[in-house]
Amino acid sequence: MDSDLAESVAALKDAFARRGIPARFGKAAPAVVEELRKSLRVPARYRAFLQEADPIDVETVTPVERVRLIPSEKLAAEQQANGGDSSLPGWRKSWILIARSALLGDPYFLDISKLDAEGDCPVFTCMTGTDSLKPELCASSFQQFLRILATSMEVACGFGESGLDDDDEAIFREALAPKIKTIDSAALRAGHWT
């Protein structure tokens, strides 16, 4: 795992620890990771993540979203479910589902057609239950996606866990925006998190 990815993973684990929210990471079996590389063309950086920090039971908690990362053992089955899901017309073969919104069920996915030199690619989401999928950028890379999740968890420390009203949600998003700008200005402009 390269240093940028390792820092993002450490920040995410630290955010869970500081918030006292249980999260279980493991190490994916090399055979599973190799099969994912062959069958789904999982990019190098995401494979490194699975090998060192497989998200066995990981769900971020913020006032506006809960993101449940998919463990390596379930990735292939999740792709098949999405590919055969008639509620997701327009799902592309170059999209690899890596997480879901625990609140709405919307997918978070890598777009491997936009692979960079480091073996990383952008993360998108889209709203399900619509006539067509309209991908929305969440992060310019998977490493930045993890950093944004960690930062969101940190900002959420100042908010209660019970229901929020619209003003609280707006305050959270306003507090998060400048932090996302320093991580990934393209993600801030896309507006998913804010």
Side-chain angles (χ1 to χ4, degrees):
M1 187 173 351
D2 64 75
S3 61
D4 289 341
L5 182 58
E7 285 176 18
S8 293
V9 169
L12 184 60
K13 288 179 176 179
D14 186 52
F16 277 104
R18 277 193 273 141
R19 297 263 317 269
I21 298 172
R24 234 177 44 174
F25 292 89
K27 291 184 185 281
V32 170
V33 174
E34 178 59 17
E35 182 55 36
L36 292 170
R37 183 191 68 77
K38 288 179 183 174
S39 63
L40 300 177
R41 299 181 326 205
V42 170
R45 202 174 230 178
Y46 191 72
R47 291 194 315 266
F49 167 72
L50 293 175
Q51 290 169 330
E52 296 298 321
D54 190 7
I56 295 167
D57 186 10
V58 178
E59 182 177 308
T60 65
V61 179
T62 71
V64 297
E65 176 65 297
R66 289 175 174 245
V67 177
R68 175 163 280 286
L69 298 173
I70 299 169
S72 62
E73 293 285 341
K74 295 183 179 177
L75 272 174
E78 285 285 341
Q79 310 314 308
Q80 291 171 349
N82 251 19
D85 189 342
S86 60
S87 70
L88 297 177
W91 187 263
R92 299 181 189 159
K93 289 183 186 270
S94 62
W95 294 349
I96 299 174
L97 183 68
I98 59 165
R100 283 198 184 274
S101 166
L103 298 176
L104 303 171
D106 293 341
Y108 286 89
F109 54 91
L110 301 172
D111 185 349
I112 61 172
S113 71
K114 300 176 189 300
L115 205 57
D116 68 17
E118 294 177 330
D120 205 342
C121 51
V123 177
F124 291 86
T125 190
C126 58
M127 190 179 303
T128 56
T130 59
D131 290 341
S132 64
L133 298 179
K134 294 183 178 115
E136 184 176 81
L137 181 71
C138 296
S140 297
S141 70
F142 176 69
Q143 175 268 320
Q144 289 168 308
F145 178 68
L146 292 178
R147 181 64 76 169
I148 289 170
L149 291 178
T151 301
S152 298
M153 291 270 291
E154 290 167 13
V155 171
C157 282
F159 293 81
E161 298 299 322
S162 60
L164 295 178
D165 62 25
D166 290 342
D167 288 340
D168 289 336
E169 186 175 319
I171 291 167
F172 172 78
R173 290 180 187 276
E174 193 174 295
L176 184 59
K179 295 180 182 299
I180 289 179
K181 184 177 183 179
T182 63
I183 297 168
D184 186 350
S185 59
L188 178 65
R189 285 191 305 276
H192 172 70
W193 305 105
T194 58

